[in-house]
Amino acid sequence: MSELSYAHGTGGTALLGDTIGANLERAVAAWPEREALVDVPSGRRWTYAQFGAAVDELAYALLASGVAKGDRVGVWAVNCPEWVLVQYATARVGAVMVNINPAYRTHEVEYVLNQAGISLLFASLSHKTSDYRTMVEEVRHRCPELKETVYIGDPGWDALIRRGTPDLRGELQAREAELSCDDPINIQYTSGTTGFPKGATLSHHNILNNGYFVGESIAYSEQDRVCIPVPFYHCFGMVMGNLAATSHGACMVIPAPSFDPAATLRAVQQERCTSLYGVPTMFIAELNLPDFAEYDLSTLRTGIMAGSPCPVEVMKRVVAEMHMEEVSICYGMTETSPVSLQTRRDDDLEHRTGTVGRVLPHLEVKVVDPVDGVTRPRGTAGELCTRGYSVMLGYWNEPEKTAEAVDAGRWMHTGDLAVMREDGYVEIVGRIKDMIIRGGENIYPREIEEFLYAHPKIADVQVVGVPHERYGEEVLACVIPRDPADPLTLDELRAFCEGRLAHYKVPSRLRILETFPMTVSGKVRKIELRETYAE
């Protein structure tokens, strides 16, 4: 009888029982003189001793402003040092930090302010076309619980800091003594494809341990310097980036307020970073810079690629040309803090591109039949579920939606279709909702995308299903060409697939695009491609 698609992560390292504040204090005591945070755009730097003092200073200010344990404090800002200070200071006083996507417009931010009951908001002044002050003014009168907004880079920030004084140290220590590692500490709104987003509520225990074990998997130490071009408002930035760094005494390096491929590589070179993060589209943008070869990236050792599957050709170049021999692939979701599966430092190229790794220590994963919930045999597709310390406390004030996602056995249902191999490594073959059903055949877009990446005229590709009268759905390939002056034709595409892909998987439609619609966290919005080209 075939082994079942179930795996439990064992490991010699125990879970941390700390709060985030206590863990940071331990790092400050261990590595006071090592750099903790560098903001490349402004040139500002903090050692661990200075960073700990700056976090305390903001924590005193929050106490002086009347922020109570459990109060919700919002952060609506691009990547900057103040974002990181708010992350750790709110944890120290036991407030719940609410991450707000910088791309949100007024109706979305109004929804989050009210749904979470945010009383204090930290916001950027502006970024690109967003004027945050104007948007806050527009919705403020409809958000009765919002008492104060503090703008980063405005005199209001300094005025807030001046409210706090060191004589509040005793009060801060008393507050910290009341905190449990299981307290809610963070609400992250996950982008729903329909309706308003849901607020995944995470504890100290959830995110501190997840950051710590992600860092352990790639052997972080106080010698590491981590370049973080991914957004802080997302788990990728604030957990896998910030918390992985501070729990190991490593340095957080901010290359730019939002992703800029040239600024990212400049930061790696200037700050001698050992680790670089990104979603595959970010690495593709960096590799495609005209002057890519001129950057000195020789200090890089590792990094994390996550958010969507990594094409084989991209991974080969990241390892060979960016010196990231120990680069790791992570899989997860906001509701699981986020990472549940990760490749290891010494995994071969095939495991790093064909799978999303194996289960992390202290977690469980299984692959089940999406209809009846029975665990599938290894090697067969089903829905991936995960259980353990990382599973969220629930969706903020939405018990019904929580019950739909987390079952009675405390398994989080991911909505992803996966196959667990005999060796325990897991392949993601698609979203349950992305699967194309053509004339009764199940088609996984990921498989076709991987195949098409090898075409010399294709720089990037996304495959989606669009309606078809006879077959129900047909396969559409959306392609960004390597050379816009010499785009691919449908005939060339079909000839490339002929005899190498099953006939029903060969795209019957082709769209040549300049860019893909993206979320701010760098994921392609397949739903938008489907809707745009459904006709």
Side-chain angles (χ1 to χ4, degrees), residues 513-529:
L513 304 178
E514 290 179 11
T515 57
F516 297 134
M518 307 286 257
T519 66
V520 175
S521 55
K523 291 183 185 176
V524 176
R525 283 185 51 80
K526 284 200 169 189
I527 190 163
E528 200 170 309
L529 290 173

Side-chain angles (χ1 to χ4, degrees), residues 22 27 30 83 120 180 216 241 269 302 308 329 354 364 402:
W83 206 111
L120 171 61
S180 157
E216 286 287 287
Q269 175 176 288
T302 188
S308 57
I329 296 288
E364 300 169 272
T402 303

Side-chain angles (χ1 to χ4, degrees), residues 154-208:
D154 178 79
W157 172 273
D158 295 328
L160 176 86
I161 294 295
R162 285 196 296 273
R163 289 178 207 167
T165 52
D167 59 12
L168 288 165
R169 180 153 205 78
E171 191 179 328
L172 180 60
Q173 288 169 336
R175 174 72 62 85
E176 288 194 294
E178 296 170 16
L179 305 182
S180 157
C181 66
D182 294 316
D183 290 337
I185 204 64
N186 185 213
I187 298 174
Q188 303 212 10
Y189 282 85
T190 68
S191 46
T193 47
T194 54
F196 280 109
K198 303 182 289 287
T201 307
L202 304 168
S203 66
H204 295 268
H205 196 67
N206 286 150
I207 59 177
L208 175 59

Side-chain angles (χ1 to χ4, degrees), residues 252-475:
M252 304 167 276
V253 176
I254 304 172
S258 61
F259 177 63
D260 174 329
T264 300
L265 297 189
R266 273 199 305 275
V268 169
Q269 175 176 288
Q270 175 189 310
E271 295 300 326
R272 305 197 61 72
C273 294
T274 59
S275 176
L276 172 62
Y277 287 11
V279 296
T281 50
M282 291 181 175
F283 284 99
I284 291 167
E286 290 153 9
L287 290 162
N288 287 344
L289 286 170
D291 60 348
F292 170 77
E294 290 166 32
Y295 291 96
D296 177 6
L297 309 177
S298 59
T299 54
L300 284 174
R301 161 183 80 80
T302 188
I304 293 175
M305 206 182 294
S308 57
C310 177
V312 178
E313 297 308 313
V314 175
M315 178 60 80
K316 284 181 184 168
R317 291 191 64 194
V318 166
V319 170
E321 298 171 43
M322 298 179 91
H323 309 282
M324 292 169 62
E325 289 85 1
E326 297 176 17
V327 66
S328 180
I329 296 288
C330 288
Y331 165 85
M333 59 194 305
T334 306
E335 291 88 339
T336 57
S337 301
V339 180
S340 43
L341 297 156
Q342 186 174 359
T343 60
R344 303 311 200 258
R345 298 163 67 195
D346 51 358
D347 282 341
D348 58 29
L349 183 72
E350 194 284 323
H351 277 87
R352 284 189 216 179
T353 54
T355 81
V356 289
R358 53 191 166 93
V359 67
L360 280 178
H362 308 293
L363 296 175
E364 300 169 272
V365 292
K366 65 177 179 178
V367 176
V368 303
D369 184 302
V371 179
D372 61 23
V374 173
T375 305
R376 305 294 312 266
R378 292 200 180 191
T380 54
E383 184 182 18
L384 182 66
C385 299
T386 182
R387 177 167 74 177
Y389 75 80
S390 69
V391 175
M392 67 175 179
L393 301 177
Y395 292 120
W396 185 260
N397 284 345
E398 297 199 82
E400 300 81 13
K401 288 190 172 150
T402 303
E404 286 168 22
V406 184
D407 67 24
R410 289 292 299 158
W411 287 98
M412 177 76 210
H413 288 253
T414 66
D416 281 322
L417 288 163
V419 174
M420 186 180 290
R421 296 180 176 184
E422 294 300 331
D423 63 5
Y425 281 75
V426 174
E427 298 172 42
I428 301 297
V429 292
R431 291 288 290 163
I432 289 176
K433 62 178 187 291
D434 283 345
M435 189 171 74
I436 302 167
I437 304 175
R438 181 189 181 277
E441 297 279 7
N442 290 355
I443 300 171
Y444 303 116
R446 164 88 201 272
E447 179 195 353
I448 305 171
E449 288 161 0
E450 275 296 339
F451 174 75
L452 293 179
Y453 271 115
H455 194 290
K457 283 191 172 184
I458 293 177
D460 207 351
V461 56
Q462 294 291 324
V463 169
V464 295
V466 288
H468 187 273
E469 276 179 24
R470 182 172 164 205
Y471 294 115
E473 283 188 292
E474 62 179 334
V475 179

